[in-house]
Amino acid sequence: MNLRPLGRSGLQVSPLCFGGNVFGWTADEATSFRLLDAWVDAGFNFVDTADVYSRWAPGHTGGESEAVIGRWLRQTGKRNRIVLATKVGKDMGDGKVGLRPEYIRQAVDASLTRLQTDHIDLYQSHDDDAAVPLADTLGAYSDLIKAGKVRAIGASNFTAARLAESLQTSESLGLARYESLQPLFNLYDRAVFEKELQPLCVEQGVGVINFYALAAGFLTGKYRTEADAAKSARGKNTTAKYLNERGLRILGALDTVAARIGATPGQVAVAWQIMQPGITAPIASATSLAQLQDLVKASQLTLDAEALATLGAASAE
């Protein structure tokens, strides 16, 4: 496995990151343990979660994913084999939201307890919080790094303007800087990242760990008609955005490339992202070992110029 540097953090990560939103939700604990074991055994080391996962599910309060990972770490002793990323800032209820220094200090201790570890490798602002001065938030993170609770920090869902302002604040005040960005980016969702965020991240050496790598499953080719989409709740949510002329054109290109190189559309879609400038490790989830093996194969694909041109033309806006 060829590891990649994550920004200027000193962290070395695999070219794919496992999205832990499924742990304790659509993947029960036993399945989650099998997936994590298989991920590490395949040579990957990067796992991303958040304190809020999976608060949206009936009966859940948040922290379920972190707790599953923590029990896996305790049972297997594999903490030194993974780069562990989590996030803070989404609404956890009871006023637990945002990036106020006092809340960050409270939230990181709660995450460390659930994860059953003494440090988080990458601690990320899940959302921007314009109500809190950047210097205050970055100062709190700097204190956590000095205390050994966090190794590096990252940002998620930031605009280019706010990320640039954050980086400038870190430099001018000598504070910890965001070493990674977690934006929406895939073959369909290209415009915002490529126009505004990608040039900034490349210039400033910020690693990119994009989410929705498979566009909620659409880029696997499983949703090609309204009838396909109606088969699952996730499919119904996908239809409105992706199941249109451009979306079908992208699927056609994925089919063409996949057939020519002996891969699946989903594998090709992920391989394309891994090869894009500035991308460190797309985030993708799996709820079965078969899906995980698809991700393993995707990381091993190298697309030639013809494939890249076909995909680029089909997905252009």
Side-chain angles (χ1 to χ4, degrees):
M1 182 68 63
N2 292 319
L3 301 181
R4 296 176 164 193
L6 183 66
R8 301 171 185 170
S9 67
L11 299 171
Q12 298 283 323
V13 300
S14 50
L16 274 179
C17 179
F18 199 112
N21 60 310
V22 298
F23 299 144
W25 176 38
T26 51
D28 63 22
E29 185 156 314
T31 301
S32 298
F33 281 22
R34 286 194 293 271
L35 291 168
L36 285 162
D37 284 332
W39 188 248
V40 172
D41 290 345
F44 297 94
N45 72 345
F46 202 6
V47 178
D48 174 76
T49 186
D51 57 3
V52 77
Y53 298 163
S54 48
R55 187 168 184 258
W56 57 82
H60 288 203
T61 58
E64 288 80 11
S65 174
E66 288 183 334
V68 167
I69 294 171
R71 288 190 288 271
W72 173 74
L73 290 173
R74 182 186 62 190
Q75 178 175 303
T76 63
K78 293 179 179 178
R79 177 66 183 91
N80 65 344
R81 295 183 64 182
I82 66 167
V83 174
L84 181 56
T86 192
K87 312 181 201 71
V88 59
K90 290 282 191 187
D91 190 356
M92 292 283 284
D94 299 322
K96 298 176 182 178
V97 63
L99 300 176
R100 292 171 288 109
E102 59 272 24
Y103 176 56
I104 289 175
R105 289 191 291 269
Q106 173 188 353
V108 74
D109 286 341
S111 286
L112 288 168
T113 297
R114 286 188 292 265
L115 290 164
Q116 303 196 45
T117 184
D118 63 355
H119 72 282
I120 292 163
D121 297 304
L122 180 67
Y123 199 41
Q124 302 158 95
S125 297
H126 208 156
D127 280 317
D128 188 13
D129 186 350
V132 180
L134 288 169
D136 290 357
T137 295
L138 295 167
Y141 284 141
S142 296
D143 290 343
L144 293 181
I145 291 173
K146 290 174 186 174
K149 293 183 178 182
V150 171
R151 292 182 65 189
I153 59 170
S156 175
N157 300 308
F158 273 49
T159 64
R162 284 289 283 177
L163 178 60
E165 186 180 355
S166 298
L167 294 171
Q168 185 178 28
T169 300
S170 296
E171 183 175 2
S172 63
L173 299 180
L175 299 172
R177 73 168 212 148
Y178 289 128
E179 295 294 350
S180 65
L181 175 70
Q182 194 168 142
L184 170 64
F185 178 64
N186 54 55
L187 260 172
Y188 190 100
D189 299 294
R190 294 179 55 179
V192 173
F193 173 72
E194 290 182 346
K195 181 179 179 182
E196 303 171 0
L197 291 162
Q198 189 176 39
L200 174 64
C201 290
V202 170
E203 177 189 346
Q204 295 294 322
V206 174
V208 178
I209 52 175
N210 53 297
F211 63 87
Y212 276 5
L214 289 169
F218 177 75
L219 295 175
T220 65
K222 67 193 292 186
Y223 306 120
R224 295 174 183 267
T225 66
E226 296 282 353
D228 290 338
K231 294 175 184 176
S232 72
R234 196 179 195 194
K236 292 175 185 176
N237 295 332
T238 300
T239 307
K241 180 172 183 180
Y242 298 120
L243 197 53
N244 52 43
E245 182 181 349
R246 179 168 170 265
L248 293 174
R249 187 170 69 240
I250 292 170
L251 289 186
L254 286 169
D255 289 341
T256 298
V257 173
R260 183 169 66 82
I261 67 174
T264 67
Q267 291 166 10
V268 172
V270 172
W272 176 86
Q273 290 167 63
I274 292 173
M275 295 179 68
Q276 297 309 299
I279 298 294
T280 305
I283 300 170
S285 298
T287 55
S288 69
L289 292 177
Q291 290 177 357
L292 187 144
Q293 283 305 311
D294 252 6
L295 297 178
V296 173
K297 292 175 182 176
S299 73
Q300 299 167 344
L301 286 180
T302 299
L303 303 180
D304 58 22
E306 180 183 346
L308 292 173
T310 299
L311 296 169
S315 60
E317 295 192 57

